[in-house]
Structures are given as C-alpha cells and as structure tokens.
Amino acid sequence: MKAIRFLLALFPALLVPLVAEDRKPNIIVIMADDLGFGDLSCYGATTYETPHIDALAKEGMQFMSGYCTASTCTPTRFSLLTGTYAFRVKGTGIAPPSAPAVIAGGTPTIASMLKSAGYRTAVIGKWHLGFGGPDGPDWNGELKPGPLEIGFDYSFLLPTTNDRVPQVYVENHRVLNLDPADPLRVGNKKPDEDHPTGISHRDTLKMDWTHGHNNTIHNGISRIGFYTGGETARFRDEDLADKWVEKSVAWIEKNKETPFFLFFASHDNHVPRIPHERFQGVTPHGFRSDSVVQLDWCVGELTKTVERLGLSQNTLFVFCSDNGPVMDDGYADDALEKLGEHRAAGPFRGGKYSVYEGGTRTPFLTRWKGTITPGLSDEVVSTMDLYASLASLTGAELPKDAALDTTDVLGALLGEKNAKGRSELVQQDNGSGGTFGFRSGNWKLLRHDSKKARNVVVEKKLENVDVPQFQLYDLSVDPSESEDLFATQPEVASRLQARLDEIIESGRTRP
Ligand code: NG6
Ligand code: CA
C-alpha cells in the first residue's frame, strides 16, 4: 500500500486507471420464475428464440450445472438472499397471500452485505417473502418489515405470486395508488355470501382454473385468497413485465453513478401466465412459452439500458431461475396440450416441486463484458452462492453467524481457468421435510422419507409417483436419473447418506 501511495505521489496520472479499476462493478441478478433448463434457445429450445438471453450466454459464461437450491419459489429466494439452506429455517415454504416477513428485519442478506460495500440496492418484481410482523401485512398501512429492513434501499414489488391476492404493487412500505377511502381487505375467507369467485362465476373467467385458484376474481382470473377494495391500486396482469422494466430502467438511471445491485425478480413464467398482448401467440406453445419470450424482452431492455449508459464493461449480469418448470400449475392455459416436442426441463427428470435434477438444475449465466471470457462451464454453482461470491468480489465481510451455507465460487462464476465450483449441493423441494436431493461430485442421492415423489414427468404429464426412500444416480453417465444404483453401489450410497445427515444436523456448511 505504502509503495503505491509513494508512486501515486510521484506520478499522479497513475491515479486514473487505478481508480477506474477500483470501481466495484454494478450487479444485476435476474431471476426467472419457474423457468426450466430447456426453456431457452441457448439451452436447446428449438421451437422459439430467446435472443437477448442467448446473447448473455454468448458473451459470458453458460453453466450446465447451475442450480437454484429448492424446487419452489420462497425457499430458493430465501437462500439466495440469506445464503442459508432454507430447510434449516421453519416457515420458508411457499408463502401464502398474507404471510408475515419470511426474513426477519435486520437479518444479514446479500443486499445488506452489498450495501455495506457501498452499493445502492433495489429489488424489483416478484417478492414472495412476506411482509410485516407475526400478524402479517397491514395492507392499508406500513408494510414492514420487508425488503427495506434487510438491506434494500428501494423496492417495487408484486407481493407474492400473481395467482395469489391482491393484484397491487408495493413500493417501499406502501401499496401504490391506494385510496384510503377504499381500503384493501385481504383474507382467506369469503368476505360475504355474494362475493363472486372462480366457482360461482366460472363462466365469466377469461382463463379457467384447473385446481385451486378459484377464490376472488380480478381481471377475469380467479386467484388464491380473497380480497375487496383497493380498486385504484389494482394492476392488469398483462402489464407486469413492462412495469418491472420501466421501474428498473428508471432506478438504474438514477443510480448509475454509484455501484448498484439490482435484483430483478421476473414473474415469467409463473401462473397465471398472462403475457402482454404483444407477446400472446408468439410461440407455438401458448402463454407459457410466450411468457418466456416476454422475459427475454425484459432482459434485452436491461442489457440495452446498461449499454446505453456506457456501463457494460462495468456490470456483472447473473441470470438464473427460482425452480424448474411446470405445465399445469392450476390454470387451463394449454401448456401441456401445446407442448409438442418442447422439453422444458431439457434432458432432466422432474420439475417444479421435485428434487430430481429438473426441479433445480436451471439456466444459469454470468456476463461481464471485458472481464469474463465467454465459455461453457460444468462447474456446480448455485443461487445461494452469490452471497459469498459477491462478498469476495466486492471485498465485503461475511457475517459470522449468518449466511451459513453460501460458498465462494467467484472464480467459477467469472470463468477463471481451473476455478472450482461446489463439490456438493443439497437440493430441497418446498421443504416440508424429509425430501432431499444431494449432489456430491457426479453422484446424486435422493431421499424421499414419504416414499412419494411429486411432479415427475410421466409421459409428458407431471405426476406424483411412488419411489423408494433412497435412490442413487451417476449424473456423469445418467443425467436423466433413470438407472437407480442404490443397491449396486452401497458404499457410495452410505457415504452420501452419512454426509447428507451431517449437513442437515451440523446446522451449517460454511466453515
Ligand atoms: C402452489 C400453487 C401453485 C403455485 C405454487 C407456488 C395451488 C393448487 N398450487 O401451492 O399454483 O402458486 O404454490 O409457486 O394453489 S412458486 O413458484 O411461487 O413456488
Ligand atoms: Ca417459482
């Protein structure tokens, strides 16, 4: 350090490149919803194109063993933000419409870590991690604790998923455009006998439901949960993606001078899949893939904005998904009927809700022009590892007693030669307990204490099937988990069983 200062005193011109190099990169993490390994043209989809996401892949690192940590939304998002396996923490399963904050105020997160490193931080899009104290959100008052209490400077959100009530935006602590004279009343019971629902008014729906999702109707679609009021605050499903882009572009422009961290949490292609009219019908597979193309458009708008502001060389993009794909997730949108030859989970078995690879092995891309040399990687990386990896990138400290399972895989994320990813990774489903996937090297152990596996592809349909408590696969030769080696490889099996137990019982994997 002293020598550098001495040199600078002698040659002040040296200061310029040094400072420029010293500037921490902006970070944009784009998380897709329910996007499978095979849903992008850069990962093998052939019946439609995703050119903007493909460009990220072409100009950056494309991971073939990139994972989210759970096969549903809330636990993956919990782990991404906190750096801790969700199965360790109660209450991290799929959050209902009026869930309290899943991450308590003051908990160290990737956002608070980056904030401490000098970043401006924002989350825009789907939240699904609850608001408020134990009684849940006060929809007409202050929605806190929420993202602002765990390190985000700004938030503009869909509170849960769009199949759950209410259809309103939450900006920072408030429902946007809420008229106090018309308060929002949200609950899990019919507010009165005459309240129209997906059951009583089924013939009026613009998209029918197939299971659940038959409570309050908004925009011709019935949802999970009931609400009345808040008319001026309600959005149209068709406009969500445009809104995320509009708010993100504005926020990036406002914060372009400081390093910024944007968590762009798309709702595509979660149900109800209602893409904007201009994307309806652009693929042969109905609204499911139309929504993927809409997501691709969003990614293009973000990369173009960064380019226009001259920030491409100084911005790290990470693209990932929160869980694998699903066809019929409660609405009759023809996803299965129009699937054709498209394979949303690529070569993998299972999908959303499952601990087979299709549930968690998902698209994963990093791009940082001028720093990352484009390439393909087989290293195992996970969304939970962004915490430690970005700490390592920005020089921030990791908290001692939090972020318990995140691993620094920065070298692998940046495509550095010989850099290693994870040696092992636990995968979970929604976290009701007793269901785990465990990848160790190229071995994969599955544990289903209930002896039931949810959502496994059987002749294209997702079904629940009976399975033995343990299965073992060799992913290096059998990526689709079709030949169970549990009985023939007893030593490997018991080694992995013991290690999985140890990981669960030890309470943490980060040293
Ligand atoms: C399930 C919903 C499903 C979806 C999922 C959450 C029913 C019958 N099913 O309970 O439609 O909302 O939760 O998806 O209600 S996730 O991607 O946010 O985890
Ligand atoms: Ca999801």
Side-chain angles (χ1 to χ4, degrees):
M1 220 29 221
K2 254 192 193 154
I4 292 177
R5 264 192 229 125
F6 176 65
L7 274 174
L8 283 178
L10 282 179
F11 307 105
L14 277 177
L15 199 62
V16 178
L18 210 83
V19 169
E21 224 178 71
D22 232 35
R23 178 173 161 170
K24 293 167 177 163
N26 309 307
I27 300 161
I28 300 181
V29 174
I30 303 168
M31 180 168 263
D33 203 339
D34 298 1
L35 186 78
F37 189 90
D39 275 327
L40 303 172
S41 36
C42 55
Y43 279 94
T46 53
T47 46
Y48 58 90
E49 300 279 323
T50 50
H52 300 105
I53 305 174
D54 293 1
L56 285 184
K58 220 170 115 200
E59 297 160 2
M61 287 305 294
Q62 177 169 7
F63 291 86
M64 305 312 273
S65 287
Y67 290 84
C68 44
T69 46
S71 56
T72 60
C73 172
T74 303
T76 282
R77 286 159 206 260
F78 173 86
S79 295
L80 164 77
L81 294 183
T82 65
T84 296
Y85 280 128
F87 63 75
R88 301 203 189 286
V89 183
K90 274 216 171 98
T92 54
I94 298 174
S98 278
V102 173
I103 305 174
T107 304
T109 65
I110 194 169
S112 62
M113 177 273 289
L114 288 169
K115 196 170 160 148
S116 75
Y119 279 70
R120 297 284 300 165
T121 56
V123 53
I124 295 175
K126 164 176 162 175
W127 181 235
H128 211 182
L129 287 164
F131 290 99
D135 295 337
D138 173 5
W139 295 104
N140 302 291
E142 279 211 305
L143 290 162
K144 91 194 238 196
L148 269 50
E149 284 64 46
I150 54 169
F152 287 103
D153 295 314
Y154 177 71
S155 62
F156 189 94
L157 301 167
L158 165 71
T160 50
T161 48
N162 203 18
D163 59 348
R164 274 143 232 261
V165 297
Q167 277 53 60
V168 297
Y169 295 118
V170 173
E171 186 171 38
N172 296 325
H173 287 140
R174 295 261 169 198
V175 169
L176 187 70
N177 296 331
L178 184 64
D179 174 1
D182 179 29
L184 262 177
R185 298 196 200 285
V186 182
N188 49 19
K189 284 202 192 83
K190 222 169 153 171
D192 60 75
E193 260 320 295
D194 301 329
H195 184 79
T197 68
I199 296 174
S200 66
H201 288 64
R202 195 163 186 174
D203 56 340
T204 68
L205 300 176
K206 74 174 172 196
M207 182 186 277
D208 199 7
W209 51 273
T210 56
H211 52 271
H213 306 96
N214 52 25
N215 302 152
T216 291
I217 300 171
H218 169 69
N219 193 24
I221 299 154
S222 52
R223 322 269 168 164
I224 301 173
F226 298 93
Y227 71 122
T228 58
E231 288 295 341
T232 52
R234 298 190 188 194
F235 57 66
R236 243 172 43 111
D237 306 66
E238 290 83 344
D239 299 326
L240 280 182
D242 283 349
K243 191 52 101 182
W244 308 145
V245 167
E246 175 200 319
K247 291 292 167 186
S248 298
V249 170
W251 187 82
I252 293 171
E253 278 173 354
K254 206 169 143 203
N255 292 282
K256 61 178 192 285
E257 305 298 341
T258 45
F260 61 78
F261 166 59
L262 169 64
F263 175 27
F264 183 90
S266 166
H267 189 262
D268 293 319
N269 64 107
H270 197 283
V271 298
R273 300 163 181 135
I274 310 286
H276 190 269
E277 284 83 352
R278 70 187 187 280
F279 295 108
Q280 296 183 6
V282 296
T283 73
H285 310 298
F287 285 0
R288 183 178 183 279
S289 297
D290 295 350
S291 300
V292 174
V293 171
Q294 173 170 274
L295 164 69
D296 184 67
W297 172 82
C298 294
V299 172
E301 293 306 295
L302 295 177
T303 50
K304 278 183 211 159
T305 301
V306 165
E307 193 75 48
R308 171 167 61 80
L309 298 174
L311 299 173
S312 282
Q313 301 276 330
N314 201 32
T315 301
L316 167 64
F317 277 91
V318 179
F319 180 90
C320 55
S321 176
D322 72 337
N323 53 253
V326 57
M327 297 299 130
D328 177 354
D329 208 15
Y331 291 98
D333 59 10
D334 282 350
L336 193 57
E337 292 77 357
K338 293 188 174 168
L339 186 60
E341 291 312 303
H342 180 64
R343 287 295 168 272
F348 303 119
R349 185 172 175 184
K352 184 173 181 176
Y353 310 112
S354 138
V355 291
Y356 287 105
E357 291 290 286
T360 50
R361 207 196 292 199
T362 35
F364 203 116
L365 308 165
T366 56
R367 190 201 78 173
W368 181 357
K369 279 192 177 171
T371 298
I372 294 179
T373 309
L376 267 188
S377 173
D378 283 324
E379 293 303 317
V380 175
V381 296
S382 89
T383 47
M384 186 173 65
D385 301 326
L386 293 175
Y387 197 137
S389 305
L390 297 179
S392 158
L393 175 68
T394 58
E397 294 259 315
L398 285 179
K400 245 190 166 164
D401 298 317
L404 304 174
D405 300 291
T406 180
T407 300
D408 178 2
V409 291
L410 182 66
L413 292 176
L414 301 184
E416 285 165 10
K417 254 207 170 134
N418 303 322
K420 290 279 164 229
R422 284 181 156 265
S423 57
E424 58 182 24
L425 177 73
V426 178
Q427 295 131 278
Q428 68 170 77
D429 62 357
N430 192 38
S432 43
T435 304
F436 298 98
F438 178 44
R439 179 167 174 176
S440 173
N442 275 321
W443 290 105
K444 168 89 179 278
L445 178 80
L446 280 98
R447 176 174 146 189
H448 290 96
D449 290 356
S450 65
K451 303 193 182 171
K452 292 249 182 259
R454 293 187 69 192
N455 226 17
V456 180
V457 182
V458 180
E459 309 216 342
K460 290 208 306 201
K461 265 204 170 125
L462 299 173
E463 289 177 10
N464 301 334
V465 297
D466 294 329
V467 289
Q469 187 184 7
F470 290 102
Q471 300 166 68
L472 181 72
Y473 297 99
D474 179 355
L475 297 177
S476 66
V477 292
D478 181 22
S480 61
E481 296 165 285
S482 54
E483 199 194 340
D484 184 2
L485 303 176
F486 186 77
T488 53
Q489 294 280 354
E491 272 165 33
V492 178
S494 52
R495 176 167 61 81
L496 265 66
Q497 282 174 304
R499 178 61 188 147
L500 175 60
D501 284 346
E502 187 179 43
I503 290 174
I504 296 168
E505 278 154 29
S506 64
R508 66 186 295 162
T509 49
R510 189 166 67 83

